[in-house]
Structures are given as C-alpha cells and as structure tokens.
Amino acid sequence: MNKNNTKRPVKVIGICGSMREGSYTRAALKLALKGAQEGGAEAKLLELRDYQLVFFGAMEEDEYPADVFRLRNEVREAHGIILGTPEYHGSLSGVLKNALDLMSFDELEGKMIGLVGVSGGNLGAINALNSLRNIGRSLHAWVLPQQVSIPEAEKQFDENGNPRDSDLRHRLLEIGRLITQFATFHEIQKDQEFIKLWEELPVNPGGRK
C-alpha cells in the first residue's frame, strides 16, 4: 500500500439559508468560503433557491424530485460545511431547516460544520445559531465552537457585499480557514486509522510462493 499518495484538497461547501436578492447571509458565506480556499480547500456555495426541494414529509422519498438527491450528494461529498442563515422570529430560516430535514446521518455524520448567522436586530443571530448547533449535534456532526453572529446586518456590509469592519472580515475568513484545517485533520486521522488496520491484517500464508 502506498502511504505517500498525494492528497486531494478537502471540499468545503457553504449552504445559504436565504432566498433574498442582495442577501447579507450570502455575502458573509462567500467571504467564509474565501477563507476556506485560502486554507487550501475546494470551496463551493450552494444556493437553496437553485434547487427544487419539497417539504419534508409531504410525499414518499421515492417521489422526491431529483434536486433533493443532488443536494444530498453534494453535502455527502463535502468534508466541511458552513451553514449560513438569517434569523427569523428567533430561529433559523425555514428553507434551511427544511433542507436539513431532508438530510440524515448519511450526509452529516462526522462532518465539520461552521456557523454564520445574520440579523436585522442588534442582538445578532444567537438563537438561530444555537438551533443549528443543536441540529448538528443531533446528526453527530462536529460543530466548531467558533461562530459568527452579525447584528444589524445592513450596517455591516457595503453596497458590494463587503464587510465595513475589518474584525468582521477576519472572523468570517477565519471560520473558513478553521473548517478547512479541522476537516483536513479529520481526513488525515481516518487515513492513519485505515493504514493501521491495514498493517495489522494477518499475512495470507497462501499468498506466498
């Protein structure tokens, strides 16, 4: 077995829980994904408005549109996930909650998850992020202790979607970098465990001449 295979970069996706044009959630996620790219990851933004999803429980799974399985597959193939949501009525957006309800352990167990939330109010998106943290734990994902909660979002970004504050910019970039770092460590650990198990396999005496 070759232990020196070149590793492909980890894949980090951002899932945008806002459908709004000019969304501050989207602007924040793009910057977090830039941080992931700077950390060496392949990064991609998933726009839920680009998927034909159904309400969870409204029909049998074999009747789901193809986009449900496309979304599941993209999440399953990712090593790290950054979830972004606006806070509505003290919780995460309905479109993001429904998308997560359409997934299971198959997609999220063991994944590294980072959280970004925006709010129009001055209290930030803490309630929405706490809800996402509970969902991540329920699905056996690793949720970073660091998170970014952005209060009064319309004051925090300029007309081009760039943060006005350098500290906010740094925190968003750092979430992407941390997701990449921990996802990479996690993949290395899994590889090392596999190599250890491989090396501990008994020698097949019938294979020797």
Side-chain angles (χ1 to χ4, degrees):
M1 178 177 179
N2 183 5
K3 301 178 188 178
N4 298 314
N5 289 335
T6 302
K7 294 288 292 180
R8 291 184 297 175
V10 298
K11 295 181 180 180
V12 175
I13 59 172
I15 302 180
C16 184
S18 174
M19 309 283 277
R20 189 176 65 83
E21 290 290 340
S23 165
Y24 300 119
T25 302
R26 187 177 301 110
L29 272 178
K30 285 182 177 179
L31 195 53
L33 290 172
K34 181 179 179 182
Q37 286 180 316
E38 291 176 355
E42 294 179 359
K44 181 179 180 180
L45 178 64
L46 302 187
E47 297 268 17
L48 293 178
R49 62 181 182 174
D50 294 337
Y51 295 78
Q52 182 189 353
L53 302 180
V54 294
F55 286 115
F56 176 70
M59 61 183 65
E60 295 300 321
E61 186 166 334
D62 58 8
E63 299 175 337
Y64 283 173
D67 274 0
V68 173
F69 303 102
R70 178 166 69 96
L71 178 62
R72 285 179 176 178
N73 188 59
E74 288 180 303
V75 174
R76 189 181 301 115
E77 290 183 348
H79 303 100
I81 304 162
I82 305 175
L83 299 175
T85 185
E87 180 164 300
Y88 295 144
H89 305 317
S91 189
L92 66 152
S93 70
V95 66
L96 180 57
K97 178 60 166 64
N98 185 62
L100 293 171
D101 286 343
L102 289 166
M103 299 181 206
S104 66
F105 295 109
D106 291 341
E107 287 75 41
L108 293 166
E109 186 172 22
K111 298 294 176 66
M112 299 293 163
I113 292 181
L115 304 178
V116 174
V118 307
S119 171
N122 59 13
L123 297 180
I126 296 300
N127 289 325
L129 296 180
N130 284 340
S131 295
L132 284 174
R133 190 169 295 278
N134 287 334
I135 292 170
R137 284 199 298 262
S138 296
L139 291 170
H140 299 174
W142 298 96
V143 185
L144 289 183
Q146 298 88 344
Q147 61 186 25
V148 180
S149 174
I150 306 172
E152 299 182 306
E154 65 178 3
K155 298 179 181 180
Q156 306 297 333
F157 295 89
D158 63 23
E159 62 276 6
N160 297 315
N162 298 311
R164 299 181 187 276
D165 180 67
S166 59
D167 179 66
L168 175 57
R169 176 181 174 83
H170 171 76
R171 288 191 293 128
L172 288 168
L173 289 170
E174 187 67 7
I175 283 290
R177 295 184 187 121
L178 286 171
I179 280 289
T180 301
Q181 180 181 358
F182 284 105
T184 300
F185 289 162
H186 188 55
E187 290 304 300
I188 290 173
Q189 181 187 37
K190 288 195 295 185
D191 285 348
Q192 289 175 339
E193 290 173 353
F194 176 78
I195 291 170
K196 184 174 183 293
L197 289 171
W198 179 277
E199 291 177 340
E200 290 176 352
L201 288 174
V203 175
N204 178 9
R208 294 180 175 177
K209 301 294 184 182

